Amino acid sequence: MSLTLIPRSKPKPKPSRKHRLATRMELKRQLRDQQEQTSQAFGQLIGAADTIATLQHQLADVRAKRAEAEQVVVCLAADLDERTEERDQALAEIDRLQALLAPFLAAEANANAITVPAAERDTSRFEDQATAPINVRPLWEAIGPVVRTEGSTDPAHLPAA
């Protein structure tokens, strides 16, 4: 077996002290940045948790109010049904009583009927004299036929009516 078959690699050079210091400084700066970002994210997480807790309390309040409103609606619907049934019964009773009362009302109206003789106007005084009927006819009938005279005032030009 030959030793030439084993590949030889060069040893890695050790970084210089200056290079190691720069790398260390860079790592510390990155660590500080990451710690700052972590603290900011943690603050946002705490704020989000507070907001979520507040919203959950509000949601519980809304759900309780909704349940109460639904219960009120159910009660009002039941009351409305009862009142509607009572109204229908009252209307039926009114119709029945009106049917019973109608003959009595008719008999009372006939018994207490007010009869007045036909009125006649007293025209004996001068200011109460009866007037003649007003002649209400179309205008053409009231004035007669219209004749064109072409500006002449001579009756010979007027046709006989």
Side-chain angles (χ1 to χ4, degrees), residues 95-115:
D95 289 341
R96 186 184 69 78
L97 292 175
Q98 281 180 342
L100 288 174
L101 189 60
F104 297 110
L105 291 176
E108 183 182 356
N110 288 336
N112 297 325
I114 299 174
T115 56

Side-chain angles (χ1 to χ4, degrees), residues 19-147:
H19 183 68
R20 280 187 287 171
L21 185 62
T23 306
R24 215 181 265 169
M25 298 281 280
E26 181 69 24
L27 289 175
K28 283 183 180 181
R29 187 184 55 75
Q30 287 178 355
L31 180 62
R32 273 195 308 265
D33 290 345
Q34 287 178 350
Q35 285 175 341
E36 184 179 325
Q37 290 174 353
T38 302
S39 67
Q40 287 177 351
F42 187 70
Q44 290 176 349
L45 177 66
I46 296 298
D50 291 343
T51 303
I52 289 172
T54 303
L55 292 174
Q56 285 176 339
H57 287 296
Q58 290 176 350
L59 178 63
D61 290 343
V62 167
R63 285 182 176 161
K65 288 179 182 178
R66 181 179 178 187
E68 183 181 341
E70 287 176 353
Q71 185 178 8
V72 167
V73 167
V74 168
C75 290
L76 289 176
D79 286 347
L80 178 64
D81 291 342
E82 288 175 14
R83 298 288 187 268
T84 303
E85 185 178 332
E86 289 173 6
R87 184 207 60 203
D88 292 343
Q89 290 174 355
L91 289 174
E93 182 69 11
I94 288 171
D95 289 341
R96 186 184 69 78
L97 292 175
Q98 281 180 342
L100 288 174
L101 189 60
F104 297 110
L105 291 176
E108 183 182 356
N110 288 336
N112 297 325
I114 299 174
T115 56
V116 177
E120 293 201 18
R121 184 173 174 187
D122 180 20
T123 57
S124 60
R125 293 185 12 202
F126 174 76
E127 54 272 357
D128 286 336
Q129 292 294 313
T131 58
I134 299 173
N135 186 7
V136 180
R137 296 183 294 172
L139 182 62
W140 297 115
E141 291 178 15
I143 64 170
V146 177
V147 179

